[in-house]
Amino acid sequence: MIPTPPTLPSRGLRRDVRAAGAAALLVVASALAGRRIEDTSRTLFVDWPPLLASWEPHLGPGTPAAVLVAVATVAYGPALAARLPWRALLPAVWGTATVWILSLALVDGWHRGIAGRLTTRHEYLRVIDRFDDIPAALRGFTGHILLDSPDNWPAHVAGHPPAATLTFVLLDRIGLRGGGWAGMWCIVVGATACVAVLVAIRALAAEALARRAAPFLVLAPAAVWMGTSADAYFAAVAAWAVAFAALAVTRRSPGWAAASGLLLGLTCYLSYGLTLFALIVAAVLVLGRRGVRERPVLPAALLAGLAVVPTVFTLAGFDWWEAYRLLVTRYGQGAGGIRPYGYWVWADLACAVLVTGLATVAGLRRTAAVPVRHRTGPRADLRLAFVVCAALAALLVADLSGMSKAETERIWLPFALWLLPACAFLTSPRLWLAAQALLALLLNHLLFTGW
């Protein structure tokens, strides 16, 4: 009997692998070039370029759970995502993403991985006692941004509008004090971003695409930095702003539009850079233009909601534009003014590869091909590709701005989550999921990704 020859991978899969290989070479090139720059001029201010991390192979109490979640999601994730009722799928995604993020964080132990993360000298919890009088703190906020100002804010406090710090102040006020509660807040709330992305995809494109994307949102390497980082919380707020906008235009609902505007306004007061989420919301409005034409009140409701948070902070005495102007100066006073733009403008893209994984690179290759075949392909594919491209455009604008030199593995988490749905276009999902899980496990066990 003549043996059956092995099945060759499809042309599409081979192209996916080549795209992933090119991205891997980008990461290697950024690591080698970064190591040389750091060894010679010490201008990168990172120990393991392009990541803000240190080489530290280790295991921890979260290791068994992380491996178990990875294996189970690779083995059963695609099938469960396809078969579970929608109302059961969303909490399943949230729960699994939470466990994945939490278990990876616990590889570094409870204190080092969670409770101590937001209490370091650069973080928000270091200034809780300076917000005993919240109105006075807001009125004087801009007076402490510059490095040469009296009692200047720590880096992360100065680098964000005060809604970021106020979140942790309010947690403290209701009795959820300390780094443990703050860390768990970021993990649990941050994991809801996966649900928000799925809600938006289902509303704008198709439920089938959302189901195919679900395991990739759960098992994203981004989870390494979502536990524990305030940027995970920011990502969730921004993601729900987009999801509510999608529900508004597809259901013709002024209520959802107002809720979207409210969260978008909050997003802008959590992080200056997340104003770029206006590009993604604009993409949603373009896709839902029919609903907007039928209910002209939708944009008005969105703008009314958008005005709430800026109005409250402005009346309280905080000037967003003045604070941003001072932040640009502060950025130049510190490492941001020394880090070479010529390196980080492309090395930050290597960070994005590590955050989103090689599967996302392959998915983006397929996303780029969707408009070419849009006349014969499903319309839902084109709509999903449009949203993903809007997120990619926002990320590229952030990159070119020069205000995101290094630490983008954390800072760009909100944008990165909207690239992951590109994985819905992939064939061989278990193969790519395994690659995502392996990358996350290696990063978390070989490096210490503190900041």
Side-chain angles (χ1 to χ4, degrees):
M1 179 181 294
I2 299 175
T4 303
T7 303
L8 295 176
S10 68
R11 179 183 299 178
L13 180 58
R14 291 198 297 271
R15 289 176 177 172
D16 292 342
V17 171
R18 284 199 292 269
L25 288 177
L26 174 66
V27 173
V28 172
S30 67
L32 294 176
R35 187 71 271 152
R36 180 174 178 81
I37 293 170
E38 187 64 5
D39 287 343
T40 55
S41 63
R42 297 284 180 183
T43 57
L44 299 187
F45 297 95
V46 294
D47 292 331
W48 207 84
L51 299 176
L52 183 64
S54 55
W55 178 258
E56 189 178 316
H58 63 290
L59 300 174
T63 298
V67 172
L68 181 61
V69 172
V71 171
T73 305
V74 171
Y76 304 107
L80 285 174
R83 295 173 187 169
L84 280 176
W86 181 254
R87 291 187 177 183
L89 176 62
L90 296 183
V93 165
W94 181 24
T96 310
T98 300
V99 174
W100 175 237
I101 297 168
L102 182 61
S103 60
L104 287 173
L106 287 174
V107 169
D108 296 321
W110 168 253
H111 179 78
R112 197 182 189 201
I114 297 176
R117 288 284 181 129
L118 297 173
T119 62
T120 64
R121 65 188 182 94
H122 297 301
E123 287 286 0
Y124 305 96
L125 267 63
R126 296 298 291 265
V127 299
I128 295 294
D129 58 343
R130 293 174 63 178
F131 279 76
D132 289 338
D133 185 342
I134 291 177
L138 292 178
R139 287 193 300 271
F141 191 88
T142 55
H144 304 288
I145 291 177
L146 297 179
L147 273 178
D148 53 4
S149 61
D151 296 322
N152 63 79
W153 297 120
H156 289 183
V157 177
H160 295 82
T165 306
L166 272 182
T167 298
F168 301 104
V169 171
L170 295 176
L171 284 176
D172 184 83
R173 291 283 177 87
I174 64 174
L176 303 181
R177 299 182 177 89
W181 284 112
M184 289 304 299
W185 166 268
C186 293
I187 289 172
V188 174
V189 175
T192 69
C194 300
V195 179
V197 175
L198 294 182
V199 168
I201 296 171
R202 183 181 187 241
L204 295 171
E207 183 176 315
L209 288 171
R211 289 178 177 275
R212 290 207 293 269
F216 291 95
L217 283 159
V218 167
L219 216 55
V224 172
W225 293 276
M226 292 182 76
T228 300
S229 165
D231 294 86
Y233 157 54
F234 305 161
V237 175
W240 282 110
V242 176
F244 289 166
L247 293 175
V249 298
T250 54
R251 298 183 180 182
R252 280 67 164 169
S253 168
W256 285 123
S260 173
L262 181 65
L263 289 185
L264 187 59
L266 176 58
T267 298
C268 295
Y269 277 72
L270 290 171
S271 174
Y272 298 103
L274 295 188
T275 53
L276 291 172
F277 256 77
L279 293 175
I280 306 176
V281 173
V284 172
L285 295 179
V286 170
L287 292 176
R289 58 191 179 276
R290 180 176 177 181
V292 172
R293 285 197 300 266
E294 292 178 2
R295 294 294 303 275
V297 71
L298 294 180
L302 189 148
L303 290 174
L306 179 60
V308 172
V309 173
T311 299
V312 170
F313 275 93
T314 301
L315 291 176
F318 172 72
D319 186 335
W320 192 96
W321 293 102
E322 174 67 8
Y324 180 71
R325 183 187 68 79
L326 292 171
L327 169 63
V328 173
T329 303
R330 165 80 180 252
Y331 192 71
Q333 289 177 327
I338 301 172
R339 285 169 168 156
Y341 179 85
Y343 171 77
W344 287 110
V345 74
W346 62 273
D348 280 341
L349 299 179
C351 290
V353 170
L354 293 171
V355 171
T356 59
L358 297 179
T360 303
V361 175
L364 288 174
R365 185 202 72 78
R366 289 183 177 252
T367 301
V370 169
V372 177
R373 54 180 175 82
H374 75 278
R375 292 183 179 178
T376 57
R379 186 171 179 79
D381 288 4
L382 185 61
R383 295 170 71 84
L384 175 57
F386 189 66
V387 174
V388 171
C389 287
L392 181 60
L395 185 147
L396 292 175
V397 171
D399 183 35
L400 294 173
S401 73
M403 290 295 290
S404 299
K405 290 182 286 187
E407 300 182 56
T408 50
E409 62 271 20
R410 171 183 57 80
I411 298 169
W412 286 356
L413 283 174
F415 303 114
L417 292 179
W418 290 94
L419 301 182
L420 294 167
C423 297
F425 297 128
L426 294 173
T427 57
S428 306
R430 286 189 176 86
L431 171 66
W432 290 110
L433 276 172
Q436 297 287 85
L438 181 60
L439 175 60
L441 290 170
L442 287 175
L443 286 170
N444 214 69
H445 286 84
L446 294 178
L447 303 174
F448 176 66
T449 56
W451 45 83

